[in-house]
Amino acid sequence: SRSRVKWTDGSPDGSGGAGEGGSELGSVSSARTGVDPTWYYGEGTSLGLRSSQLLARRPDTAEASKLTADELFLRKVANNLEHLVAGRKPVVLVSTGAFNPIHLQHVRMFYLARNYLGERTEYQVVGGLLSPSHDKYVRQKLRRFPCQAIPILQRVAMCELAVAGSSWLAVGRWEATRRNIMDYPSVLRNVQQRLVTAFGARAPHVMLLCGADYLVTVGPNTIKNFGCICCARPGYTEQL
């Protein structure tokens, strides 16, 4: 039978701090398995592998630093705010999506956007957040090819590995640990609220980062309230 570990949005005590709408992606007793649930990823997938083949040590990020994923994100933003150039407006870029799996172009998009904003606008990027989508969204997106859907445990693991050495990129778990699919405006509002709570009047502005394929679905209110920076993507740019 398949076993799954307890995994939420990064609280050291395993409670997840999910708040209203939070969820728990399975549970297992560390006393029974001898495995600390906060240090290992889940064993149950549809890949037909033995459980011993699926245990993977977390990257040297939030848990190894004794920080939640949220605290690590805020610490990176705080560190970069200390180097804010006078007259520049701080901004945090947020990208949502399946990241099924994450690849170099996902990360490169953040660097392209940071360079563009720094060279051509008054904004200075002080943080970037990758927000992997809920498993339900990925299964709906890949309903014709369900075997291609990577479970959220592994998608977050890969995202954390991809940005483990970055001084400004981080991974958000809030969207993935809701009970249901969250739309991107809700994700942006949540990030903005966390920044305001942490930094008050110094809180950076939140801006959506996406590819041209995603921009065609972005509503005008999101562009008005948050702003959006889009990276061109062949085959979709013409539609804009």
Side-chain angles (χ1 to χ4, degrees), residues 1-230:
S1 62
R2 296 175 180 174
S3 61
R4 296 181 296 172
V5 301
K6 187 174 182 180
W7 184 90
T8 54
D9 58 351
S11 297
D13 61 0
S15 63
E20 184 178 357
S23 67
E24 192 175 280
L25 306 183
S27 61
V28 65
S29 169
S30 59
R32 175 168 58 84
T33 62
V35 174
D36 180 355
T38 64
W39 279 92
Y40 284 85
Y41 288 111
E43 304 175 33
T45 72
S46 59
L47 302 180
L49 300 176
R50 295 193 304 271
S51 62
S52 60
Q53 295 176 282
L54 295 173
L55 289 176
R57 179 71 69 170
R58 284 188 184 272
D60 186 19
T61 54
E63 287 72 19
S65 304
K66 305 302 181 184
L67 299 173
T68 67
D70 191 47
E71 289 170 344
L72 182 63
F73 163 61
L74 294 175
R75 173 174 290 187
K76 290 185 176 184
V77 172
N79 290 340
N80 290 313
L81 277 174
E82 294 180 359
H83 303 287
L84 184 67
V85 176
R88 305 298 294 271
K89 296 181 178 179
V91 64
V92 169
L93 303 176
V94 178
S95 181
T96 68
F99 298 110
N100 189 78
I102 189 172
H103 50 72
L104 288 177
Q105 293 302 322
H106 287 134
V107 179
R108 181 171 180 263
M109 188 166 62
F110 277 90
Y111 284 88
L112 290 173
R114 184 178 68 166
N115 291 343
Y116 180 89
L117 291 172
E119 294 172 1
R120 304 195 183 190
T121 74
E122 59 186 350
Y123 287 109
Q124 180 176 329
V125 177
V126 296
L129 190 70
L130 293 83
S131 180
S133 300
H134 198 282
D135 271 339
K136 291 181 181 179
Y137 168 80
V138 177
R139 287 195 293 267
Q140 289 179 10
K141 183 178 181 180
L142 298 173
R143 55 186 176 274
R144 294 181 59 189
F145 308 99
C147 63
Q148 295 182 8
I150 302 173
I152 186 59
L153 301 174
Q154 282 72 35
R155 286 189 287 118
V156 167
M158 288 185 285
C159 287
E160 289 181 339
L161 284 169
V163 303
S166 175
S167 63
W168 65 287
L169 293 176
V171 179
R173 301 179 180 181
W174 182 84
E175 180 181 1
T177 55
R178 303 305 91 191
R179 294 190 184 280
N180 292 297
I181 300 172
M182 304 301 294
D183 57 17
Y184 62 86
S186 298
V187 176
L188 295 175
R189 285 193 294 269
N190 176 264
V191 176
Q192 188 72 75
Q193 289 170 0
R194 281 186 283 166
L195 291 172
V196 170
T197 300
F199 302 107
R202 298 176 56 241
H205 179 67
V206 170
M207 185 178 294
L208 177 66
L209 171 63
C210 67
D213 57 325
Y214 199 89
L215 182 60
V216 296
T217 67
V218 175
N221 288 335
T222 297
I223 296 177
K224 177 181 177 181
N225 296 330
F226 295 99
C228 177
I229 182 166
C230 172

